[in-house]
């Protein structure tokens, strides 16, 4: 059963710039799919179309009925004036979920990301990694089935990023989430994904698709295994091939 | 204690200036109708308090009423501006017009048109004070984090929810910046308008006292009235600062002390 169906969706801006050539992509239930590519390849554009924040110029982007969609932005985008718990509660407030049920879900979401002790803190009192956790808690509070993430850990240091990667995989398992993830990090793509969509620039387009089926569990050991390195190399080759074509076309 | 220590340099400078002034006047025996000594000004302030205190109350009343009007009307106009670009482009030039027209030029007209002396002064001072409230609040209501705006859109927040939960809190720091400027302008507007009205004999505020003291060459009283206006201005500024710290306390960069913010 597919959760997201993208059929020949493309984006051309009114000034004639082609941000994204037609893309076909199907994301199955429970799948973790990553859009990997350099800046300007249209990966965020594609994600924003799935989120409904952007309409395709042609083609169609369909999210299956009954899916609860949450979006995690590149930055934590918390309201600086509100406490962490109130930030996490925001989606419930906006959709009219109140009272005891809401409080329970807020506490549960904070517990999932390990921020239960910081419910009453202000965002500025948290580190970058903790702010991102709060942002993820906010996306989980609506109990989503489809999680859209736009380079959520891009601004964090590597150790924090690796830890959050692990937490994301755990949440995905526990909550049976379908995830569409955007990144420009090859290593993050290999570590997290079931399937990587490789994208290229000028114009933004999909150039390759590589399945990641590790024979070992995803862990620190997997990060340094030869299998990990081999998949990373395939992805890197695909990215390089695409960018050298683009450079030739320019020359 | 920390606040006291930070205020200390300003107090030292003030004390040195006053002492120099006092020493200069006594040493060279400057006549009080040219430059009164600080001590004489203080004595006049105490002796003439029945007159000056009443005048201060009148000026304070006009200042606060006009500041209130400027805030209420200015915020209302800003809300209207952010509802549609059309409203803003249609009316913003007239807000600017209000700002650039010298109040001394229109005050006589307003004083002729409006019967109540207090009301006419309040209208003048409001015209002077309203622009920073309009401009800053409009800017603030538009200065919303685009990510948060997207989040509100994704959750299908109503216009009202977006206004109350996102736009208004985002605008608060800008609003308080405008309020601080407007409070000073309201005082200036009140004094200037009264200068104009004073010649018509309707005023009883501090500006009227300055005019009267000038006619009578009662320079110490003139200085005492001036000192009261200056003190009022400083107090207003401090009051607005405190209000801003209270409202933005704990979250906005402008009210956090260095080292308190996140790393």
């Amino acid at each position: 059963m597919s959760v997201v169906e993208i059929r020949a969706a493309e984006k051309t801006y009114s000034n004639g710039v082609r941000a994204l050539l037609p893309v076909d992509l199907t994301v199955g239930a429970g799948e973790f799919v990553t859009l990997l590519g350099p800046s300007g390849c249209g990966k965020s554009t594609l994600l924003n179309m799935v989120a409904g924040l952007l309409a395709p110029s042609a083609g169609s982007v369909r999210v299956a009925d009954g899916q609860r969609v949450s979006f995690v932005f590149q930055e934590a985008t918390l309201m600086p004036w509100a406490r962490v718990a109130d930030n996490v509660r925001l989606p419930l407030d906006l959709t009219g979920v109140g009272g005891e049920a809401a409080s329970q879900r807020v506490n549960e979401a904070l517990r999932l990301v390990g921020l239960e002790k910081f419910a009453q803190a202000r965002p500025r009192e948290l580190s970058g990694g903790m702010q991102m956790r709060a942002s993820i808690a906010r996306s989980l509070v609506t109990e989503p089935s489809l999680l859209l993430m736009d380079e959520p850990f891009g601004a964090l240091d590597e150790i924090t990023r690796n830890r959050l990667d692990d937490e994301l995989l755990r949440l995905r398992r526990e909550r049976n989430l379908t995830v569409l993830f955007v990144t420009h990090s090859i290593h993050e793509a290999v570590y997290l994904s079931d399937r990587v969509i490789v994208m290229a620039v000028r114009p933004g387009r999909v150039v390759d698709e590589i399945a990641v089926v590790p024979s070992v569990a995803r862990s620190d050991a997997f990060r340094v295994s030869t299998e990990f390195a081999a998949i990373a190399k395939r992805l890197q080759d695909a990215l390089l091939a695409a960018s050298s074509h683009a450079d030739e076309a320019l020359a | 204690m920390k606040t006291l220590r930070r205020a200390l340099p300003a107090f030292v400078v003030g004390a040195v200036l006053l002492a120099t002034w006092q020493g200069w006047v006594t040493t060279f025996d400057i006549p009080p109708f040219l430059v009164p000594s600080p001590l004489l000004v203080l004595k006049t302030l105490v002796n003439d308090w029945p007159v000056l205190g009443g005048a201060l109350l009148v000026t304070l009343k006009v200042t606060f009423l006009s500041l209130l009007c400027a805030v209420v009307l200015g915020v209302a106009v800003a809300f209207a501006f952010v509802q549609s670009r059309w409203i803003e482009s249609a009316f913003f030039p007239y807000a600017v017009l209000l700002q650039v027209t010298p109040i001394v030029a229109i005050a006589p007209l307003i004083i002729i048109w409006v019967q109540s002396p207090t009301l006419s002064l309040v209208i003048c001072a409001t015209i002077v004070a309203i622009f920073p409230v309009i401009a800053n609040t409009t800017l603030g209501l538009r200065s919303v984090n685009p990510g948060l705006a997207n989040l509100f859109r994704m959750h299908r927040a109503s216009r009202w929810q977006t206004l109350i939960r996102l736009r208004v809190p985002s605008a608060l720091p800008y609003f308080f910046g405008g309020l601080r400027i407007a409070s000073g302008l309201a005082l200036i507007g009140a004094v200037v308008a009264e200068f104009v009205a004073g010649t018509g004999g309707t005023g009883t505020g501090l500006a009227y006292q300055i005019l009267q003291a000038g006619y009578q060459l009662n320079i110490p009283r003139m200085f005492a009235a001036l000192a009261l206006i200056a003190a009022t201005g400083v107090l207003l500024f401090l009051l607005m600062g405190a209000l801003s710290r209270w409202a933005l306390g704990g979250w906005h960069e402008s009210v956090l002390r260095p080292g308190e913010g996140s790393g």
Side-chain angles (χ1 to χ4, degrees), chain A residues 14 16 18 49 59 61 64-65 75 80 95 117 131 133 135 142 146 159-160 165 188 200 213 232-233 238-239 244:
Chain A
S14 50
R18 303 195 75 180
M49 285 181 188
V61 175
D65 293 337
E75 279 139 25
T95 43
K117 286 201 182 75
Q131 290 185 14
R133 283 208 183 103
S135 183
T142 50
L146 173 61
I159 295 174
T160 310
D165 281 348
E188 197 172 35
V213 192
K233 177 146 191 351
L239 283 170
S244 67

Side-chain angles (χ1 to χ4, degrees), chain A residues 25-100:
Chain A
L25 177 66
T26 305
V27 180
E31 211 181 1
F32 197 122
V33 175
T34 293
L35 307 174
L36 172 70
S39 302
C41 70
K43 53 193 192 299
S44 292
T45 304
L46 192 55
L47 195 72
N48 283 332
M49 285 181 188
V50 177
L53 292 171
L54 207 62
S57 324
S60 72
V61 175
R62 218 177 50 78
V63 174
D65 293 337
Q67 291 289 325
R68 276 188 306 277
V69 186
S70 269
F71 199 102
V72 179
F73 299 92
Q74 212 159 354
E75 279 139 25
T77 42
L78 302 170
M79 302 178 288
W81 55 85
R83 295 180 189 283
V84 169
D86 296 324
N87 265 293
V88 173
R89 190 193 299 268
L90 178 72
L92 299 179
D93 288 341
L94 292 180
T95 43
V97 181
E100 192 53 34

Side-chain angles (χ1 to χ4, degrees), chain A residues 53 71 77 80-81 93-94 124, chain B residues 148 153 161 169 250-251 260 262:
Chain A
L53 292 171
F71 199 102
T77 42
W81 55 85
D93 288 341
L94 292 180
R124 67 170 184 88
Chain B
L148 280 172
R153 262 175 68 201
Q161 280 175 321
W251 71 271
E260 226 182 331
S262 65

